[in-house]
Amino acid sequence: MYNQLNAIQSHQRAGNTLFLDCGGPRVAITALTEKIIRVRLAPQGSFNARRSWAITPPDESFPPVPLELTEKNGRLVLSTAALSIQINCAPCRITFHDLEGRPFCADTDGLGWSAVEGFQGVTCAKRIEPGENFYGFGERTGRLNQLGQRLTNWATDHHRYGPGDDPLYIAIPVCLALRPQGAYGVFLNNTWHSCFDLGAFRPGTWTMEAEGGELDYYVIYGPTPAEVLAGFGQILGTTPLPPLWALGYHQSRWSYGSEAQVRELAAEFRRRRIPCDVIHLDIDYMDGYRDFTWNAERFPDPPGMIADLKQAGFRLVAIVDSGVKIDPAYEVYRDGLERHMFIQCANGEIFHGFVWPDDSVFPDYTRPEVRQWWGEKQQRLIDAGISGIWNDMNEPTVFTLPFSQGGGQQKTIDPDTPQGPEGERTFHAEVHNLYGSGMAQASYEGLRRHTQTRPFVLTRSGYAGIQRWSACWMGDNMARWDHLEMAIPQLLNMGLSGVPFVGTDIGGFFDNAEGELFARWMQFGALMPFSRGHSHTETGPHEPWAFGPRVEAICREYLQLRYRLLPYFYTLFWETSRCGTPVLRPLFYEYPDDAATYQIHDQVLLGPWLLAAPVYQPGQEQRPVYLPAGEWYDWWTEKVIVGPIQHAAHAPLERLPLYVRAGAILPSRPDTNYTEERHPDTLTLDIYPGNGTFTLYEDDGHSFDYERGQFCTTRYQVLQDETNLKIEIGARSGSYHPSPRGLLLRIHGIEKQQADRLPTADYDSARRILTLQREDDGQGLQLEF
Ligand code: MIG
C-alpha cells in the first residue's frame, strides 16, 4: 500500500530546480543538463541530505541550463532545449515530452511512499508506451528485452544460477527504454533492495520500487541509445582506459595451485602458440585462504616465479576474497581489528560469518579509511609482482556454518548491521548493494597508488558505476549450451547499463564442457570485451588444448583474431572511457530506428563495424542472421549481402558467422603471442567500400601519460559515390609517436576494372582485395580511384 501525491499547492523555482509542494510532501525536479533531469520525492517535505552513493558529479557542478517555466490549463511546463516536462497539478503527475511532443516516461500513479507503518518503501509507476522495450538492468538472465519481467536489485551469490533466475551478483538499477525515434534511460538513485517491474504485475505499466531511502531517479533523454549511454557516463562515470595487456586473453582455473602448474601452463601456451597475456590465481595460492598471503609450499618463491613469467609475457592476477580470517596470528586480522576496519554489530560485537577462510570478518568499504587500508594491504601482492586483483565473494556471501560442516545457510551481512562513513552512518540494508563496488574501488585506488600504472581489477559484485573501478565477469555459469546463449544478452545488457568491460567464464564454470561447446564459446569469447577461460575445481581440464587438436586450432585461430584486432578493441575502450559507449553492442544500438532489431538477443556488434552471430546449439552448421539495412561483407567469403535481410549463415564448427559493415575501416596488427611481445611493425587497415569514418587511438598502453596528452589519434574516412571510391587517412595528431612501422591497406570488394585504375597496387581477383603498402609516416594519405 502506497500513498499517492495529491494536488500541487504551490511551486517555486531555485536555479535549475523546480520545487512542488503537495500539501506536505514535496517534489524536486532538477535539470542538470538539457537532457538529464533528476526527480526526487520527500514524503515528509524535507529532502535527505545524504550524498548520492554512486553519482560522480554533485548537482552543483553542472553549469546552469536555460529553462523555461510556463503555466497553463492546470499544468506546469518546464522546458529545456531538448525536452519538456509537463506536470499535471491535480493530482501531481509528471510526463516527459520530446520536441515533437511525443510523451515518454509518463507517470500513471506517479510517485508514492509507503502507507504501512514500519515500512519505508517508495515507488513510482510509469506508462509503457506502445512499442516500447526495456534493456539494461545490469546483470540479467533471459533475453535481451526485459519487457514483461520483474527484476530485483540485490547483490546475490545465486548458487548455480541459470536462465530465468533473479537476482544475481551485480545490482545496477539502470534501464534503457527504446522505441523508434526515441530512447531514454532511467537511473534509480537508490541503493536499497529495489525492483523494476516491466509490466509483469500490471500490463502497460512499469514501476520502480525500493524498500527504503528516497525516491530519487534520473531521466536521461536520447533520442539515440548512444546519447543515453553518454548521459549514464556523465552521472555514473566511465571505464578508464585499461592497460593493453588486460585486453589480451586471460586463462584461469580454480586453481592453478602450484608454481610448477603455473609455469607448465604458461609454457604450454607458448609451445602451442596460443595467444595469452594473463594467468589468474584462484584461492589455493593463499595460506589457508588468508588474503594477501602465499602458501609457501605451493608457491615458495612468488617474486621469482612472477619475474620469470613476465619475461615470457605473462601477467598474474590474484584473487582476493572479502572475508578476512579470524586468526589472532594473522596480521591483516589483527591490524584491522585494532584500527576498527571491520563491520560491527549494534551490540558492539564484530560481525562474523563463514566463508573460505572459515570464521571471518568483513571490512566496511563504504568508509574511505577502510578502502585506503585495504589498498595498503595489497602491497604484498604488488611487491611479489602481481599485476591485477580479482575480487570474489563480495556480495558479500556469508554462510552460517564452516564449509567443513556443509556451510549451513547461505546469506549475507544482517540488514540491521551498522555501516557507513563517519557522519553518514547507516545500516547494511542501505549499502549492501555497494559492497562489491567499495571493494573494487579500494583495489583500484590501491593499485594505482602503488604501481603508478593502469590498474586491472575484476569483480563479481558491484553497483551502478562499478565501471569506474573494475571489469566484471558474470559469476558461476555452467558448461551448457543454454548458458552460452544466455551469455550473449547478459553481456549486452551490462554494456547498456554503462559497464563495458565484461565477460563470462569461457566454456562455463560448473561441469565439464565438451569440445564442440568449448569451441563455440571461444568463438564468442574471443570477442568479449573481457576474455577469460575459467572453470570449477571439480571439472576436467578446460584449457584451449584440452579437447583435442580440432578445438585447439579453433581456439588459436579466434584468439589470434582477437590479438590482431587489438588496435580496434583498444580504440573502442578509448571511446567508452570518453562517452560510455558499450564495446559490445546489440544491433539496435547502431540501428535504433529498425524495430526488427529490438528482440535480437543472439547477435552482437563489436564496435560499429563487426557483426557476429555466435552459434549456441550443438550440431548446428547453419543459423539465421539478421543483417540491418546497408551492405555487409561476409568475413569468410568476401561476398556482399544487402540488408535488411534475414540470411542463413553457413557455420561449420570452424566458423563464427562474422560480417563487416560497408564503410568500415578496421585497424589491426600482426599476430603476436602476447600484447607486448614486440612493437607491431605494421598497421593494417581493412577498408570496406561505403561511407564511414573512424578515429584510431594509440598510446603507450600502460601508463597514465595519456592524461597529460601523451597519445595520438588518426582519422580515417571512406567515401563511395557512383563512380569513385575515396579514402582519406588524416595526419596523425597528438604527441605520442608509435614506433616506425609500415602501413598496409587492404581494400575489399574491388572489381577488376576499378583495380586497374590503381596500377601500383596488388590485386587478388579471387577475393577482390586490393593491397597497397606504404611507410606509416603519420603524414596522412589520400586515394581516389
Ligand atoms: O565458492 O574461488 O565465482 O570464479 O573460482 C566459490 C573459487 C568461490 C566463486 C567464483 C569462482 C571461483 C570460486 N569462487
Side-chain angles (χ1 to χ4, degrees), residues 254 282-283 319 356 390 392-393 460 473 475-476 505 509 532 534:
W254 178 13
D282 206 329
I283 47 177
I319 198 169
W356 286 104
W390 166 19
D392 190 20
M393 307 294 275
R460 192 170 74 173
W473 96 102
D476 300 345
D505 288 348
F509 177 70
R532 183 184 76 154
H534 181 53

Side-chain angles (χ1 to χ4, degrees), residues 355 358 401-407:
V355 254
D358 265 1
L401 284 177
F403 288 176
S404 58
Q405 295 168 39

Side-chain angles (χ1 to χ4, degrees), residues 452-565:
Q452 300 297 321
T453 61
R454 299 179 210 168
F456 173 74
V457 178
L458 175 66
T459 184
R460 192 170 74 173
S461 187
Y463 182 71
I466 184 62
Q467 64 269 20
R468 288 154 63 197
W469 321 115
S470 187
C472 297
W473 96 102
M474 304 296 103
D476 300 345
N477 57 359
M478 296 182 203
R480 286 180 13 188
W481 288 98
D482 56 342
H483 281 239
L484 169 55
E485 177 179 6
M486 172 174 73
I488 307 167
Q490 199 173 30
L491 299 184
L492 292 174
N493 275 326
M494 284 294 289
L496 294 171
S497 309
V499 190
F501 201 2
V502 290
T504 66
D505 288 348
I506 294 171
F509 177 70
F510 286 115
D511 307 333
N512 291 319
E514 4 127 23
E516 186 191 358
L517 174 64
F518 195 85
R520 290 303 196 187
W521 211 314
M522 186 61 87
Q523 288 173 343
F524 176 41
L527 300 184
M528 289 178 192
F530 170 59
S531 181
R532 183 184 76 154
H534 181 53
S535 53
H536 190 275
T537 177
E538 284 157 17
T539 60
H542 273 69
E543 291 72 37
W545 51 84
F547 305 92
R550 185 173 180 197
V551 174
E552 179 183 339
I554 292 170
C555 294
R556 182 182 301 105
E557 178 179 4
Y558 284 85
L559 288 176
Q560 284 178 343
L561 171 63
R562 177 185 185 85
Y563 275 68
R564 284 200 296 274
L565 288 173

